Amino acid sequence: MTQRLVILTILFVVIVFFAYQGIRALTLKREAAKGIQRIPSINLTRVDGTHNNLNELDSRKNLIVILFSSECPYCHDKALQLERHADTLTDHLIVFVSAEPLSQIDRFRGDMGLDCLPNFQFYQASSEDIFSTFGTRKVPSVWIYGLDNQIITGREGNLIFYIDQICE
């Protein structure tokens, strides 16, 4: 009987722990969703080592923020698509953000042919800052902000529709 009680107690504690973790993650995600209605504040390090904050970048252009990973095949596809449409995106500042090392981010930038496009900028942010700001770590993810710094649209995961919409 005592063995059964111990097992039930352990099972109960495990269930409560996972329920707490799920509720906590959901709460953080909701808070982040509220915080990204305007261009959020997140500390970034550019591939050249300079430090910036997302909400202090060029406000004279629409802003597209893309979370990416150099190992994500969808990220490669979307970066190449954006590169092909670079001439139609001159009124946008496209900011790629990753938690990867700066050298890896810079290599991705060069491999995708985006290193010579002035309105394509590449930054590093900590994984914790990315999650607390955007409520996700999924790549690719995109947020588009207008000249009024208000969100136009945002999407976690694959961004085929959103990039197609921008490039048309």
Side-chain angles (χ1 to χ4, degrees):
M1 184 72 173
T2 16
Q3 185 178 12
R4 182 180 229 181
L5 185 60
V6 169
I7 291 172
L8 287 174
T9 303
I10 291 172
L11 185 60
F12 176 76
V13 168
V14 168
I15 290 170
V16 168
F17 173 77
F18 283 114
Y20 169 76
Q21 292 298 325
I23 291 168
R24 184 171 172 260
L26 193 57
T27 302
L28 289 172
K29 194 172 185 97
R30 281 190 195 132
E31 288 173 12
K34 290 177 192 173
I36 60 172
Q37 296 307 306
R38 295 184 56 78
I39 297 174
S41 174
I42 181 173
N43 293 319
L44 304 170
T45 303
R46 198 169 179 166
V47 292
D48 66 5
T50 59
H51 297 280
N52 294 93
N53 195 298
L54 184 62
N55 64 6
E56 296 172 354
L57 299 178
D58 189 352
S59 61
R60 296 168 294 153
K61 295 183 178 212
N62 294 307
L63 176 67
I64 301 172
V65 180
I66 300 173
L67 298 185
F68 81 100
S69 167
S70 63
E71 297 176 2
C72 161
Y74 294 115
C75 298
H76 284 252
D77 293 344
K78 294 299 114 189
L80 291 172
Q81 182 181 13
L82 286 167
E83 189 272 331
R84 284 192 302 274
H85 294 285
D87 57 332
T88 63
L89 294 169
T90 55
D91 61 339
H92 290 77
L93 177 61
I94 295 96
V95 174
F96 287 79
V97 179
S98 176
E100 297 175 314
L102 288 172
S103 59
Q104 208 166 332
I105 295 169
D106 195 36
R107 187 170 32 257
F108 176 86
R109 181 177 74 130
D111 291 349
M112 297 296 107
L114 302 172
D115 50 349
C116 60
L117 300 170
N119 60 319
F120 285 70
Q121 298 179 4
F122 288 78
Y123 293 92
Q124 177 193 57
S126 73
S127 181
E128 294 79 20
D129 284 351
I130 289 171
F131 185 76
S132 66
T133 302
F134 295 104
T136 189
R137 290 185 183 97
K138 290 181 185 175
V139 293
S141 292
V142 66
W143 291 270
I144 303 169
Y145 294 90
L147 294 175
D148 61 357
N149 294 338
Q150 297 290 326
I151 193 164
I152 295 171
T153 190
R155 168 104 176 163
E156 291 179 35
N158 198 348
L159 24 139
I160 293 170
F161 171 76
Y162 293 93
I163 299 300
D164 291 344
Q165 184 179 1
I166 294 164
C167 293
E168 290 178 353

